[in-house]
Amino acid sequence: MLHGREEELQALSGLVSDTRRGRGRALVLRGEAGIGKTTLLRRAVAEAGSDVRVVSCSGVQAELPLAFGGLHQLLSPLLDLLPELPEEQATALRSALGLSTASTADLPVRVAALSLLRRAAQEIPLLVVVDDLQWLDRASAGVVLFAARRLDGLPIGLLAAQRESEGAVEIRELPRIALLGLADEAASALLDEQGWGSPGPARRAIVAAVGGNPLALEEVVRLGDPSEVAEQIVLTGTAPVGRRLRTIFAERTRDLPEPVRTLLLVAAAEDSGRTDIVLGAAGRLGAAAGALDAAERAGHLDLQGDLQGLRLRFRHPLVRAAVYADASAQRRARVHRALADELASSPEPARGERAVWHRALAATAPDDRLAEMLEAGAAEVKRRGGLAAAAAVLHRAAQMSTAPRQHTRRLAAAADSAWKSGSPLLARSLLREALARPADDATRLELLRLQGMMELWDGDQEAAVARLLHVAEVITEEHPENTARAVDLMFMAVDGALRADRTDESLRAAARIEAAGALDPGYARYGRWLADSLADRPRHGLSPWQLFEAAPSSLSPDQALRWVWAAALATFGALPRQARAFALEACAHLEATGMLAVHVLLLSWLAELEYHLGMWRDCEAHALEGLRAARDVGQSVLEADLLALLALLYAGRGQENECREHAERAVALALSRGNRSAAATAQWALGRLALGADDYEEACERLGSLNRPGSPFAHRRLARRAVLDEVEAQVRAGRGEGAEQVVRAFEQWSEQSTLGWPQSHRHALRALLAEGNAADKHFRAALAAPGAADEPYTQARTAMLYGEWLRRTRHEGEARGQLRHAVEVLEGLGAEREAERARLQLRAAGGVARRRGDPTARLTVQESQVARLAAAGLSNREIGARLSVSPRTVGYHLYKIFPKLGISSRSQLRDADL
């Protein structure tokens, strides 16, 4: 019986029940060693019964650096479904699991693994159980967390258990239960159940000493008389619970025969579950196969069967920890050498990688040959998509290096892999270690470059810009042959400078890029076009694809920065709809190639374009996707950008709680990182929310802070974007003089811009301040301005303001036309509060809104994506690969889409207004 865990059991039962009903979700149990996590997982598996399929894996501390070992254990029972996945996904999984030699990357493997789980769950609900998440290799952990965030609406539940430790996986955004020690009453009930002692000082001392740890309580029962055990615990002092538990478990194995202890140590050191590897290595050390039977009888090991054969598993991970920790360093080294010899005797490439790792663990001194082998193995791990594992392998390679500069170079490579794989804390730790060591010039510059890039997406923006420009300058002056790399850093510095509201720095960086034209004329073009775009005067007139083709020769078509350059120039340009189409293509390319960090950046640009274009459902979907990805890879700066954009979207929809929640989270992240653009966007969202609620004083205060010198929310570019809201708030608050000052400043800037939206805004602003026929003239000019149709939300609000003015001036007939248009557009966007305001004005003008209804508004986000891709001619399999769902799921969506749109065939989708 489980004592004191009633609430936890209820939560697990609810998750299993929801899984059966197709409402999948994830839950993480977190607590110290022995607190009962594994026991609760077993109860959940029992709760699943025969109508829920269970797949599971368990992390192994010794295999942390090995790529996808845990994933292989988890997905082995499902591999017969691989042929049913899209070929690209099947190829990615085969490569990750060592079943093929094809190249892949982290993201394709994660998408493919999720697709395989979805396919399996189509037949029977699926419960995924992961024990010891903190010891799961980082590549597999990345897959598990990727899936855990994407279970909504699926018959897949995920339960994971993670020990509280320094190596714990970051799970802050997942629901979790913190398991604490048992209360005195529950702990006492557990001891009563074990028939051990009577209540009194001795029992209270034991319960207090182990912090109510249930496993420790169960184990001390077996060690002797309660008073003797209590005395022993008191004599150990204030040692951590984990150390005491390991000591207790070690005591249980020390009296076993030597061959059995040897076998247990081999299993503890390797513990992949492959019986043949453990028995083979143990045999090399003189432990006969009969030792396995003795280990089972002693209650330490279980022998389990599955599709891949017999596997070994410790009854509890603390047994493994105790056996390994209790062995001397010399004994552990002998075991690792035996494992290396056994693995090396196999022709399987993946075993060769593990053999090198065990040789490194066996080494007692630096060994350059082993360091080289580890580094080569890291390259292979990277090729298979295991960047997180590669970081650990490279770190060990650094430790094995005798030459200080080689040590530092490999540390730098480890930090780079850790950062790219979304492990920023590990990357920072490795980077600090490397920066404190001797390095050659090339490595020193690489470390500074990495420091700048890490700051750019997870640190202070001004510091990142300064560092990136400094490194770029040094490279240009001292290593002119690497000017192309310097240009890349300058370009990324522009991104940080714009967030920090440092337009001067961004223009200087653009000028330096243009100066690199001596190396390649493409840089001169890109630098000049970038400078024009930063000044809001894009002159190139090229489509995004033409910009892509005009790239410098040093940027290959497959290189991520070539896509980012073209997307950036297009996003700043005068063709937003073409920019959005290109951004979609760029995101698909970067996702397929596993460029996680840059992929999030493009998603943020795409979502912002869709916001302004009035594609709010797409904007929300891409922003949420980007938000998940930013958290996956530790990009807190981009996380703030996306939170702020979502806050602005929810403000437009009048979703007050969602707006405030996202704005508060965005500001908390943004202010600590000098991300002024995200802070300003969040403040704009709250100002717009106040304006919609007729709280004009608060709206004036919040929106005015975007222009106010010294304000943490001041940001010139964002202030210009929010100018219509600010002036409307000031006019409605009776602050005509302040509104006039804001309008004059905007007019002075907009006269220099060649973009379309400033011209529309300039006339709308004057219309708000004007009287008589002048207002009519400006309203008409605002609605007819080039590019006004590319911002339907702004256009609809302008039409509403114009309609209100027309009604006040007794032009009801014209007012009805403007207000009706405003109602229809605002309804389509989901801006229901403002749509209702327009409807009230329309009724006051003697009109009634046409209830045409937009059938596409009835589609879910995923149904909209499926409908668009099907209309573009993609097959169900191609759509499934793009959206990470099965072809059968695509067909199910289409089955629901057709009646919602009033059509009956796929061909009619091409004519639907999607």
Side-chain angles (χ1 to χ4, degrees), residues 387-457:
L387 279 170
V393 174
L394 286 164
H395 189 197
R396 183 61 174 162
Q399 294 170 332
M400 299 296 296
S401 306
T402 59
R405 294 178 189 275
Q406 286 283 68
H407 187 141
T408 308
R409 182 182 64 78
R410 286 166 178 152
L411 273 179
D416 186 59
S417 291
W419 176 70
K420 288 178 179 175
S421 71
S423 304
L425 294 178
L426 173 61
R428 288 186 183 279
S429 173
L430 293 169
L431 182 65
R432 283 194 299 271
E433 184 181 351
L435 285 169
R437 295 182 54 83
D440 56 37
D441 289 346
T443 301
R444 182 67 56 190
L445 284 175
E446 174 61 18
L447 289 169
L448 292 175
R449 178 199 70 82
L450 181 57
Q451 194 174 26
M453 293 301 292
M454 289 170 63
E455 286 285 346
L456 181 65
W457 284 334

Side-chain angles (χ1 to χ4, degrees), residues 102-148:
S103 297
T104 188
D106 285 332
L107 191 58
V109 173
R110 295 175 184 182
V111 171
L114 179 58
S115 293
L116 187 63
L117 294 175
R118 281 173 164 162
R119 172 62 190 87
Q122 288 175 359
E123 300 173 357
I124 182 173
L126 191 66
L127 181 63
V128 178
V129 179
V130 181
D131 203 358
D132 281 331
L133 178 62
Q134 79 281 353
W135 287 340
L136 203 62
D137 64 274
R138 291 302 178 249
S140 297
V143 174
V144 169
L145 296 179
F146 181 90

Side-chain angles (χ1 to χ4, degrees), residues 599-654:
H599 180 233
V600 182
L601 180 65
L602 265 292
L603 277 173
S604 70
W605 292 353
L606 172 61
E608 186 175 355
L609 281 167
E610 289 170 336
Y611 172 80
H612 291 297
L613 288 168
M615 301 176 177
W616 281 10
R617 278 178 293 165
D618 293 319
C619 168
E620 182 178 30
H622 286 126
L624 290 172
E625 179 186 352
L627 196 57
R628 287 193 298 268
R631 290 167 179 163
D632 283 343
V633 296
Q635 293 177 334
S636 59
V637 170
L638 291 175
E639 184 181 349
D641 290 345
L642 290 158
L643 284 168
L645 179 62
L646 284 165
L648 190 62
L649 174 68
Y650 295 139
R653 287 179 176 171

Side-chain angles (χ1 to χ4, degrees), residues 488-569:
D488 294 344
L489 297 181
M490 294 175 199
F491 174 64
M492 298 312 297
V494 170
D495 188 44
L498 290 176
R499 287 196 188 90
D501 196 28
R502 296 297 300 272
T503 306
D504 50 346
E505 292 285 353
S506 65
L507 288 171
R508 276 198 291 273
R512 293 182 189 179
I513 293 170
E514 185 175 0
L519 173 71
D520 187 324
Y523 287 125
R525 292 192 298 268
Y526 268 17
R528 184 170 60 255
W529 294 340
L530 181 60
D532 288 343
S533 298
L534 293 171
D536 298 302
R537 295 190 297 271
R539 296 190 178 97
H540 53 71
L542 301 177
S543 72
W545 283 107
Q546 289 172 319
L547 292 168
F548 185 81
E549 293 301 324
S553 57
S554 61
L555 294 177
S556 69
D558 288 332
Q559 198 167 341
L561 272 176
R562 181 163 180 167
W563 291 87
V564 177
W565 265 105
L569 291 171

Side-chain angles (χ1 to χ4, degrees), residues 459-508:
D460 182 78
Q461 296 302 280
E462 289 199 23
V465 171
R467 201 178 309 277
L468 290 172
L469 291 179
H470 169 69
V471 176
E473 187 175 324
V474 172
I475 292 175
T476 302
E477 293 177 358
E478 300 180 9
H479 303 276
E481 71 280 4
N482 290 328
T483 299
R485 188 152 204 189
V487 169
D488 294 344
L489 297 181
M490 294 175 199
F491 174 64
M492 298 312 297
V494 170
D495 188 44
L498 290 176
R499 287 196 188 90
D501 196 28
R502 296 297 300 272
T503 306
D504 50 346
E505 292 285 353
S506 65
L507 288 171
R508 276 198 291 273

Side-chain angles (χ1 to χ4, degrees), residues 793-844:
Y793 177 65
T794 299
Q795 187 186 49
R797 290 184 64 207
T798 303
M800 178 172 63
L801 292 169
Y802 186 25
E804 292 174 345
W805 180 85
L806 287 167
R807 190 181 71 80
R808 287 197 305 272
T809 56
R810 302 189 182 281
H811 294 80
E812 283 84 357
E814 292 180 72
R816 286 194 291 271
Q818 296 295 336
L819 292 168
R820 188 173 288 117
H821 170 71
V823 169
E824 291 170 357
V825 173
L826 293 169
E827 278 183 344
L829 291 170
E832 187 53 41
R833 184 160 61 183
E834 290 181 282
E836 179 59 24
R837 170 181 158 186
R839 276 193 292 270
L840 289 172
Q841 290 290 327
L842 179 57
R843 284 197 290 272

Side-chain angles (χ1 to χ4, degrees), residues 233-270:
I233 290 176
V234 171
L235 289 175
T236 62
T238 58
V241 169
R243 186 177 303 169
R244 285 197 295 270
L245 282 170
R246 288 196 299 271
T247 300
I248 291 169
F249 275 101
E251 290 287 349
R252 294 177 58 196
T253 63
R254 285 174 184 156
D255 293 334
L256 293 171
E258 180 61 26
V260 181
R261 294 182 64 201
T262 298
L263 178 99
L264 286 173
L265 182 56
V266 172
E270 208 281 334

